[in-house]
Amino acid sequence: MASRVSLKSKGKASGKGSKGSQEEKSLAQSFKEWSTWTVKKAKVITHYGFIPLVIIIGMNSEPKPHISQLLSPV
Amino acid sequence: MATALNVPPTAPVTTPQQMKKEEEKVDYLNLPCPIPYEEIHREALMSLKPELFEGMRFDFNKGLSPKFSLSHSVFMGPMEIPSQSSETIKIPTAHYEFGANFIDPKLMLFGRILTDGRLNARLKCDLTENLTLKANAQLSSEPHMSHGMATFDYKGKDYRSQFQLGNGALFGANYIQSVTPHLSFGGEVFWAGQHRKSGIGYAARYNTEKMVATGQVASTGLVALSYVQKVSEKVSLASDFMYNYMSRDVTASFGYDYILRQCRLRGKIDSNGVAAAFLEERLNMGLNFILSAELDHSKKDYKFGFGLTVGE
């Protein structure tokens, strides 16, 4: 009995509240979604790009090593 | 004052030196910078927790320039899977790991990638003279198995402070201060949002040239004390005591570390009935042979490993 009452009151409150704060909610939600999307993309970029980035930075540092040194086992 | 120090030649030689040391007043405004908080147990960990492994390991480090190097590493052996029961489950695995390191005084990049797609990346960057950014990440293709953590370190004249952010809403901060030239105190606080846990801890470290004693207490229930004595240039002995007052778990261990000309031998024995040893022998310039052994008599788990490291 008590749970039914609380559910009804929740439904009423959300009905009233959603109209007013719909814009705020969607802004917060879109910010959250956007940040989650950014973090996911950053993770994929780091996963694939970190080692190539280190190699590029290393090959451009002084003294510049030759590309054959990168691949040969000696 | 000078005449007081001119002791007669028959007296022991150390007396004038000892008197000089006592006269050197401790300058409390000029204390040395302390060790970073996470390295407070550094000497004890170096002696008591070598990188024990089981199986065969081969590492090849190739330096392309003084700052840039590549590493190839092969490992074949059983890997332990954490299991709920007391039995240890081991699965034989073999993997190849490719790594690239770039080391500059201001920027350090360290990346390792395994054949199963896991990336282990570390970055250390000096943003200003006193502020350092460190980040490390373990990324894997499996969802929800990736971790990342970024740390901002500020080094003051006789203190260090650090702020950490991790994924899963992990926040931490710690601070350590030199109180006398030999003693430093520190504290830390962390909050893990995902597991809804928070904790606070304190640590103290007393070190002289011959010994290091540290103590750490944390609200997660951990009490850790350690003592390392440098018996000579080549030998140091370490002992460690860990007590968890929540789970009533006690472990004491005692170990030695011999740094000789051609080899480095570390061994330890534990109150859980574990004896371990780790030998790194320098066969030639740039060629190191590694032997590792860990005998766990209570769990009947015996691990032996050997390996070779080529390159610096």
Side-chain angles (χ1 to χ4, degrees), chain B residues 157-285:
Chain B
K157 194 151 169 281
D158 57 2
Y159 66 90
R160 279 188 205 248
S161 63
Q162 204 180 65
F163 179 65
Q164 297 168 330
L165 299 162
N167 82 329
L170 177 70
F171 298 101
N174 63 51
Y175 178 78
I176 184 164
Q177 166 88 46
S178 272
V179 172
T180 76
H182 299 293
L183 181 64
S184 45
F185 288 128
E188 72 167 341
V189 49
F190 73 89
W191 186 68
Q194 228 170 34
H195 305 278
R196 294 274 187 266
K197 269 196 205 165
S198 67
I200 192 166
Y202 302 102
R205 179 185 159 106
Y206 182 79
N207 72 327
T208 64
E209 276 152 26
K210 289 253 161 197
M211 58 81 106
V212 176
T214 68
Q216 187 172 17
V217 185
S219 71
T220 51
L222 174 77
V223 173
L225 306 168
S226 79
Y227 179 76
V228 179
Q229 171 89 26
K230 192 170 164 183
V231 173
S232 79
E233 278 298 315
K234 297 186 178 186
V235 180
S236 54
L237 301 174
S239 65
D240 179 88
F241 176 78
M242 280 217 289
Y243 173 54
N244 191 329
Y245 57 77
M246 304 273 183
S247 65
R248 304 268 174 206
D249 219 357
V250 176
T251 304
S253 59
F254 174 73
Y256 62 86
D257 186 352
Y258 290 167
I259 303 179
L260 306 172
R261 233 178 327 133
Q262 301 281 67
C263 76
R264 181 171 183 186
L265 177 62
R266 286 177 267 187
K268 78 157 207 242
I269 184 150
D270 223 338
S271 66
N272 297 333
V274 176
F278 189 82
L279 169 73
E280 288 163 288
E281 171 98 24
R282 207 186 83 153
L283 298 176
N284 206 348
M285 177 68 201

Side-chain angles (χ1 to χ4, degrees), chain A residues 42-43 46-48 50-51 53-59 61-66 68-74, chain B residues 60 62 64-68 70 98-102 109-113 117-119 121-122 139-141 146:
Chain A
K43 186 204 155 219
T46 316
H47 201 165
Y48 284 104
F50 189 76
I51 299 254
L53 173 78
V54 178
I55 291 177
I56 288 171
I57 292 180
M59 294 299 273
S61 69
E62 292 302 324
K64 272 197 188 177
H66 200 255
S68 63
Q69 278 182 304
L70 191 69
L71 301 168
S72 85
V74 175
Chain B
F60 176 49
K62 183 164 129 180
L64 294 176
S65 85
K67 293 183 185 179
F68 178 54
L70 296 176
F98 174 71
N101 316 334
F102 177 74
L109 295 168
F110 177 93
R112 292 275 182 274
I113 187 148
R118 273 184 292 159
L119 172 74
R122 285 215 304 253
L139 304 176
S140 85
S141 325
S146 312

Side-chain angles (χ1 to χ4, degrees), chain B residues 14-229:
Chain B
T14 51
T15 322
Q17 287 172 352
Q18 275 175 351
M19 286 173 70
K20 254 195 208 161
K21 271 194 186 162
E22 283 164 28
E23 283 168 17
E24 261 178 41
K25 271 201 148 173
V26 174
D27 186 1
Y28 281 102
L29 296 172
N30 230 357
L31 293 172
C33 202
I35 304 262
Y37 190 89
E38 64 264 10
E39 289 179 27
I40 206 164
H41 296 288
R42 181 177 66 186
E43 278 83 3
L45 285 177
M46 277 196 321
S47 299
L48 293 173
K49 293 194 170 44
E51 287 173 10
L52 301 166
F53 62 97
E54 181 173 16
M56 193 216 74
R57 204 177 95 179
F58 178 74
D59 290 329
F60 176 49
N61 264 327
K62 183 164 129 180
L64 294 176
S65 85
K67 293 183 185 179
F68 178 54
S69 63
L70 296 176
S71 94
H72 306 266
S73 166
V74 177
F75 174 78
M76 292 184 227
M79 291 278 273
E80 219 172 273
I81 305 288
S83 75
Q84 310 295 73
S85 66
S86 60
E87 300 250 322
T88 47
I89 299 177
K90 292 191 193 179
I91 296 185
T93 51
H95 61 69
Y96 163 72
E97 189 185 53
F98 174 71
N101 316 334
F102 177 74
I103 298 175
D104 196 41
K106 280 207 172 162
L107 175 68
M108 185 201 94
L109 295 168
F110 177 93
R112 292 275 182 274
I113 187 148
L114 279 117
T115 41
D116 51 12
R118 273 184 292 159
L119 172 74
N120 186 357
R122 285 215 304 253
L123 163 112
K124 176 176 164 279
C125 178
D126 287 342
L127 299 172
T128 74
E129 204 189 299
N130 288 334
L131 183 65
T132 305
L133 164 67
K134 286 198 275 201
N136 76 53
Q138 277 108 38
L139 304 176
S140 85
S141 325
E142 292 165 42
H144 302 294
M145 291 287 280
S146 312
H147 309 284
M149 182 132 103
T151 305
F152 290 95
D153 293 355
Y154 184 76
K155 185 172 81 163
K157 194 151 169 281
D158 57 2
Y159 66 90
R160 279 188 205 248
S161 63
Q162 204 180 65
F163 179 65
Q164 297 168 330
L165 299 162
N167 82 329
L170 177 70
F171 298 101
N174 63 51
Y175 178 78
I176 184 164
Q177 166 88 46
S178 272
V179 172
T180 76
H182 299 293
L183 181 64
S184 45
F185 288 128
E188 72 167 341
V189 49
F190 73 89
W191 186 68
Q194 228 170 34
H195 305 278
R196 294 274 187 266
K197 269 196 205 165
S198 67
I200 192 166
Y202 302 102
R205 179 185 159 106
Y206 182 79
N207 72 327
T208 64
E209 276 152 26
K210 289 253 161 197
M211 58 81 106
V212 176
T214 68
Q216 187 172 17
V217 185
S219 71
T220 51
L222 174 77
V223 173
L225 306 168
S226 79
Y227 179 76
V228 179
Q229 171 89 26

